[in-house]
Amino acid sequence: EGDDLVTALSLLLARLARKDDFSLAYLPSAASEQPDWFTRYFASVVPLPVHVQLQQPYAELRDQMARAIADTETRLSYLNDLPAREPDLRAVGDCAGYPIRVLRAADADELTARRHGGSAALTIVVATSGGAVGFLADQAQLDRAGLNRLLEWFSVLCEAIKADPARPVGKLPLLGASDRKQLETWVPAYGEAQRNALVTDCVHQQFEAQVQRTPSREAALFEGRSLSYAQLNDAANRLA
């Protein structure tokens, strides 16, 4: 169903960005059916709040997202100049400039063909019913290889959700066969069971585990300067 797809997409983005509280630029299904003049006066997309707790089961997250989606669908849109006139709304800003959009429509193929992507790096079109979903990427911002990898992660996540919807969302796998093969070339042979446990995690989780195992081991070498795993982790934490 459409809400399941939006929930899975939101979870994927939360896991990849390592954020548990954010908003997506969202086009309600009724807004996609409005005439062209609609966007001259009303916002073309509105914020859809996403709150993810990695220990919660997927079914709980899905119910939570369904309520947020229903509320956003009911509100539909707001006047274009409202954030500028209301100080409390200025923090929302212009979500039309968000890098990722989620659009809802009765016919995902028709809406995809109309190319509502704007300046977004990625536009995801989800049918209001059934399992249709379309992806539009601005190749100047997201190339085909990056999009294919994203689609693979999304497919793996959806299969994991279907197999075990009660599993904590932070433990659902994302990595496909190609990623697993690549990671197996990076992970030392600590034993089959340990290696299998490692490759179910995201890259940042594997790196943090490696820091705990070998903090003083050389992790990076560039132009004669080297950093240990502990030093590289400290530098990454300062940038985060």
Side-chain angles (χ1 to χ4, degrees):
E1 295 296 332
D3 285 357
D4 274 304
L5 289 171
V6 175
T7 302
L9 288 164
S10 300
L11 173 57
L12 175 62
L13 297 173
R15 293 275 301 276
L16 294 177
R18 301 176 67 182
K19 290 186 177 182
D20 55 12
D21 191 351
F22 59 96
S23 293
L24 290 173
Y26 182 84
L27 177 70
S29 56
S32 69
E33 301 168 359
Q34 300 301 316
D36 291 340
W37 59 259
F38 182 83
T39 55
R40 293 203 297 267
Y41 304 101
F42 296 92
S44 59
V45 287
V46 296
L48 174 66
V50 178
H51 306 286
V52 177
Q53 298 178 13
L54 295 181
Q55 297 305 314
Q56 68 183 146
Y58 172 78
E60 180 181 305
L61 176 62
R62 195 268 184 193
D63 291 343
Q64 174 184 311
M65 285 295 300
R67 291 191 294 270
I69 291 168
D71 182 63
T72 304
E73 290 280 349
T74 300
R75 296 176 186 274
L76 186 62
S77 187
Y78 53 82
L79 289 170
N80 279 325
D81 64 345
L82 185 60
R85 291 189 288 108
E86 292 292 335
D88 291 343
L89 296 177
R90 287 175 185 167
V92 173
D94 181 13
C95 63
Y98 287 7
I100 298 176
R101 289 183 173 192
V102 176
L103 313 183
R104 297 296 295 275
D107 187 338
D109 291 336
E110 179 182 349
L111 189 59
T112 300
R114 288 162 61 186
R115 302 193 68 82
H116 282 251
S119 61
L122 178 64
T123 300
I124 304 165
V125 185
V126 179
T128 52
S129 61
V133 59
F135 290 79
L136 292 173
D138 178 355
Q139 294 193 14
Q141 303 180 71
L142 179 64
D143 62 19
R144 183 174 296 276
L147 179 60
N148 287 341
R149 177 155 290 184
L150 186 68
L151 292 172
E152 183 179 18
W153 291 333
F154 180 58
S155 177
V156 171
L157 179 61
C158 288
E159 289 298 323
I161 290 170
K162 183 178 179 180
D164 190 2
R167 190 174 183 182
V169 296
K171 297 294 185 181
L172 291 167
L174 301 180
L175 302 182
S178 60
D179 287 315
R180 289 175 181 273
K181 183 177 180 180
Q182 179 66 66
L183 287 171
E184 285 174 359
T185 68
W186 295 342
V187 178
Y190 288 103
E192 190 65 26
Q194 190 172 15
R195 182 162 59 250
N196 287 342
L198 283 171
V199 297
T200 62
D201 294 331
C202 295
V203 171
H204 71 273
Q205 293 170 315
Q206 297 177 43
F207 176 77
E208 290 166 354
Q210 186 68 34
V211 171
Q212 295 298 316
R213 288 193 299 271
T214 58
S216 60
R217 182 178 175 181
E218 185 179 76
L221 176 64
F222 181 69
E223 293 186 347
R225 183 186 176 190
S226 66
L227 291 175
S228 68
Y229 277 97
Q231 291 171 326
L232 186 57
N233 188 53
D234 288 342
N237 288 336
R238 286 195 298 271
L239 289 173

